[in-house]
Amino acid sequence: MAELLSHLGASDVELGAAIAAARARIESAPPEMGSHDELHELLDHWVDCDLGRWMLVHRGWNAYWTRYCISYPERIASGEPIPSNPVERFFLSRSVQVVATQQRFAHFTSLLGTLLTPGVSALSVPCGVMDDLLTAPGAEQCGALVGADLDPASIELAMVNSRQRGLAERAIFVEADAWQLADPHSVRGDAERFAALCNAGFDVVTSNGLNIYVAEDGDVVALYRSFASVMSNGGHLVVSALTPPESWDLSGVDPADVLTTRQLTFINDVKWANPRTVELTIAQLESASLEVTDVLYDDARAFPTFLAIRR
């Protein structure tokens, strides 16, 4: 079901093609996107940083860049230098979607701090580096911490993360399609234990980012049903969803920042342009036998977090 976002580097040919495609988009940009000269200048700066080059080619984030963007406020607070590239600096600190994603991660951490009680089993899909579970309060007292991802490179990063945090003995990692979680391609760890956890049902499942790459509503419902199929009765799902820009609350955002956010989204031609209203996400979760008990919003109401329970 899943279309794997490439996690490999880009060749000069791929980067050149991506830049050419972005310049072609700029030449056909509507007036509300600003002047073509301004857009070309943004692109020039964007190409001058690693993050920009990655996004131009791949139109999304991999595990590494997800962590890089989400952890930006924490890294700066700990003394890391602010990026010198003005567009990268804007993207990490003022872009509406990125700030919403950073706030979304804080909501996940808060909710998981209440759910990761002694002995529970928890699953992250797709796990990426698995910071959602491995850095959450209570991770050290879980009975099992399982990461599922279709990308082997992400799994390798998550395994390193678990070792660095002293949680490797509690962790199992599976290379699996999110729509077929109980039938993994490979298991890093105790395969019998993983099968038993799937049969018994996980107490907590977390998922961030995958649904925004899925265009068809039916496929999103199937994804939620896949989650429910490996959850225990009374188990909790923590998931997020991107909402349509017209529903965002931008009253606290500088209009210039809103425009620059739109311009960068246009330049990158991002794959995550599959927004869904809060009401639709709730209905989709309910159709998968998941009852939404809480919705937590970022300031712009762009990337809300949903807490649901399997009935």
Side-chain angles (χ1 to χ4, degrees):
M1 179 64 71
E3 177 186 354
L4 180 62
L5 176 66
S6 175
H7 288 59
L8 302 176
S11 68
D12 290 341
V13 173
E14 290 173 314
L15 179 59
I19 294 171
R23 295 216 183 274
R25 283 195 296 277
I26 288 172
E27 289 304 313
S28 62
E32 59 267 25
M33 281 293 171
S35 73
H36 291 180
D37 287 345
E38 182 181 5
L39 290 167
H40 281 299
E41 183 179 358
L42 272 176
L43 176 58
D44 289 341
H45 284 297
W46 198 223
V47 171
D48 200 33
C49 68
D50 290 338
L51 173 59
R53 288 189 290 271
W54 175 275
M55 287 197 65
L56 283 168
V57 172
H58 299 288
R59 299 165 56 207
W61 296 341
N62 66 353
Y64 173 86
W65 289 113
T66 298
R67 170 188 269 180
Y68 181 81
C69 294
I70 289 175
S71 66
Y72 178 76
E74 179 183 352
R75 298 198 321 272
I76 296 303
S78 67
E80 180 176 302
I82 295 173
S84 59
N85 185 298
V87 179
E88 180 179 15
R89 187 166 62 247
F90 169 86
F91 186 79
L92 293 171
S93 62
R94 291 158 57 192
S95 172
V96 176
Q97 291 104 316
V98 176
V99 171
T101 302
Q102 293 163 350
Q103 294 177 355
R104 186 280 315 162
F105 183 79
H107 288 318
F108 268 49
T109 299
S110 175
L111 288 173
L112 290 170
T114 67
L115 297 174
L116 299 185
T117 53
V120 305
S121 58
L123 168 69
S124 174
V125 190
C127 65
V129 299
M130 212 160 91
D131 275 344
D132 56 351
L133 290 183
L134 295 176
T135 69
E140 72 286 347
Q141 58 187 356
C142 287
L145 296 164
V146 179
D149 204 295
L150 193 57
D151 176 53
S154 293
I155 291 173
E156 290 293 338
L157 290 173
M159 291 177 68
V160 171
N161 196 13
S162 69
R163 290 195 295 269
Q164 290 175 338
R165 298 182 183 280
L167 296 170
E169 291 186 359
R170 301 176 185 272
I172 300 172
F173 297 95
V174 298
E175 183 182 335
D177 189 305
W179 285 262
Q180 301 176 45
L181 290 166
D183 186 25
H185 304 313
S186 65
V187 179
R188 314 283 185 93
D190 189 335
E192 291 186 2
R193 171 70 167 149
F194 174 71
L197 288 166
C198 288
N199 288 332
F202 287 89
D203 301 305
V204 179
V205 175
T206 72
S207 182
N208 171 63
L210 182 55
N211 52 12
I212 65 178
Y213 289 97
V214 182
E216 297 297 325
D217 286 337
D219 291 340
V220 173
V221 172
L223 177 65
Y224 295 153
R225 287 176 177 159
S226 176
F227 294 159
S229 73
V230 293
M231 292 172 61
S232 63
N233 287 330
H236 289 86
L237 171 68
V238 183
V239 68
S240 55
L242 186 67
T243 58
E246 57 268 22
S247 70
W248 295 355
D249 179 2
L250 301 175
S251 58
V253 183
D254 187 324
D257 288 352
V258 176
L259 175 59
T260 305
T261 296
R262 293 182 60 209
Q263 290 171 328
L264 284 173
T265 300
F266 178 80
I267 287 171
N268 286 294
D269 191 26
V270 295
K271 288 183 178 179
W272 58 47
N274 294 295
R276 293 176 172 90
T277 64
V278 169
E279 292 75 17
L280 177 57
T281 294
I282 291 174
Q284 290 175 330
L285 288 165
E286 288 179 346
S287 70
S289 301
L290 295 161
E291 178 186 343
V292 175
T293 60
D294 201 2
V295 182
L296 303 179
Y297 292 93
D298 56 277
D299 292 343
R301 302 176 76 87
F303 209 4
T305 295
F306 300 81
L307 176 63
I309 188 169
R310 184 179 185 270
R311 296 299 190 186

